[in-house]
Amino acid sequence: MRLLFGSAAAVAAITLCSCAASSDVTTSNPTTHEAAVKSLRHATFSQLLVVASQGNKSILSFGIPTTSTAQSPYQDIHGSSTDITTTLTSVSVGPSGHIFSSNFGDSGLRLYKYATGASGNVSPQATPDAEGFPLGVAVDSGGNIWNGWYAPSEYDSISVQSSSFAYIKTIGGAHTGLVGPYSLAFDASGNVYVANDYPYPSTVSGNVEEFASSATGNAYPSKVISGSHTLIVQPTEVWVDQSTTGMGRLLVSDYDGNVLVFGSTASGNATPVQDITSVAHPTGVTTDSSGNIYVSVPNDNSIRVFSPGATGNATPTTVIKGSSTNISNPKQLYMAPF
């Protein structure tokens, strides 16, 4: 389904570091490019990269693929009415174009839903107050909202609600193994993958679990990816690649210093087929329709883009950063159809 995002958002300059060519490309005159970019954007940009920008309490979206005349954010949701805090961690987009976010540690402890095309200082819809901290959020093809919860006084869980926040079910209990469900993502069959980031300080490494779409209550995961060979220590986001290049491969950004890629059938103490080691403390990962890998780097206030097969000390093909992007301490990412 085509998503209709903020057509009135300003189109201005962005600084792109094309690292393969070791040069910066800057659109020095935003007005000169504005009309051209607006008229071409539907033909040029097929996807939107949505960024949880924690440092300036914003949710940003950018046209993908990036170009030398790339735009400033199409959407920049920020301001006191948005209820976004500096604990913003997770973003997702529903099939109708609504953006969802969760704020770990927010005084309201809520999941937020913003209208399609929302930008600026807009008020969201919100879940009722709850006992616990909202973590990862993902929306399935039916528009149902899956939200991971950290509950200090009981088992962590995943709540499932309709698009209007009506309760559907909960996955939780000792059998689930959920401990800090920090990120959620769906595969093509609707099964949900969960990155568990154990609360720190902890001597226990995190892991990735898969649950069937039909799972409910105190269910066992369908599989668990965990162990020393996986290199998973402190996972910050899990993403399932839906591109034709890497269909079904599983990507995990790990704060310990790795961007890990597993095959679609990986389970147990599996060894990643790719391991990008050139990013310090990555906090989010996603892929576009060509299989390119996008990684959020908070200490550089940037998004680094790698080729589909990148591994080891890889050089990014592009770095999205600069004052016009408004990216500040980026966390989790989400790639959506335009």
Side-chain angles (χ1 to χ4, degrees), residues 48-74:
L48 283 178
L49 172 68
V50 183
V51 180
S53 183
Q54 189 181 84
N56 53 10
K57 299 185 286 188
S58 300
I59 298 172
L60 311 170
S61 67
F62 300 91
I64 300 298
T66 56
T67 68
S68 60
T69 54
Q71 76 288 1
S72 293
Y74 280 119

Side-chain angles (χ1 to χ4, degrees), residues 22 110 126 140 177 179 210 306:
S22 299
R110 293 182 178 182
D140 64 25
V179 184
E210 179 197 33
F306 295 88

Side-chain angles (χ1 to χ4, degrees), residues 20-35:
S22 299
S23 63
D24 286 348
V25 180
T26 306
T27 56
S28 58
N29 187 345
T31 304
T32 301
H33 299 285
E34 183 170 352

Side-chain angles (χ1 to χ4, degrees), residues 181-329:
Y182 198 74
S183 173
L184 292 81
F186 297 100
D187 65 15
S189 299
N191 302 312
V192 64
Y193 284 81
V194 184
N196 284 303
D197 180 10
Y198 285 73
Y200 275 63
S202 173
T203 58
V204 181
S205 293
N207 62 26
V208 172
E209 298 182 313
E210 179 197 33
F211 291 90
S213 58
S214 58
T216 188
N218 192 13
Y220 286 99
S222 305
K223 65 180 179 182
V224 179
I225 302 175
S226 178
S228 60
H229 292 171
T230 69
L231 303 180
I232 296 173
V233 177
Q234 191 178 356
T236 52
E237 184 165 19
V238 61
W239 178 263
V240 183
D241 189 356
Q242 302 295 339
S243 71
T244 55
T245 302
M247 178 62 75
R249 64 179 180 165
L250 190 71
L251 293 94
V252 180
S253 57
D254 195 289
Y255 197 75
D256 201 48
N258 303 76
V259 179
L260 308 167
V261 182
F262 297 89
S264 59
T265 60
S267 185
N269 193 11
T271 301
V273 297
Q274 294 166 239
D275 175 12
I276 302 173
T277 59
S278 54
V279 181
H281 306 306
T283 50
V285 64
T286 190
T287 55
D288 64 20
S289 57
S290 297
N292 296 302
I293 301 170
Y294 295 69
V295 182
S296 51
V297 188
N299 61 1
D300 189 41
N301 292 324
S302 68
I303 309 297
R304 298 186 190 179
V305 188
F306 295 88
S307 62
T311 193
N313 189 23
T315 300
T317 58
T318 304
V319 176
I320 305 173
K321 66 179 297 184
S323 58
S324 64
T325 68
N326 293 338
I327 295 173
S328 176
N329 192 16

Side-chain angles (χ1 to χ4, degrees), residues 104-106 109 130-135 148-157 178-181 197-200:
F104 179 89
D106 172 34
L109 304 179
E131 293 183 4
F133 299 89
L135 298 174
W149 288 86
Y150 169 56
S153 61
E154 54 189 32
Y155 291 112
D156 294 353
S157 64
L178 293 170
V179 184
D197 180 10
Y198 285 73
Y200 275 63

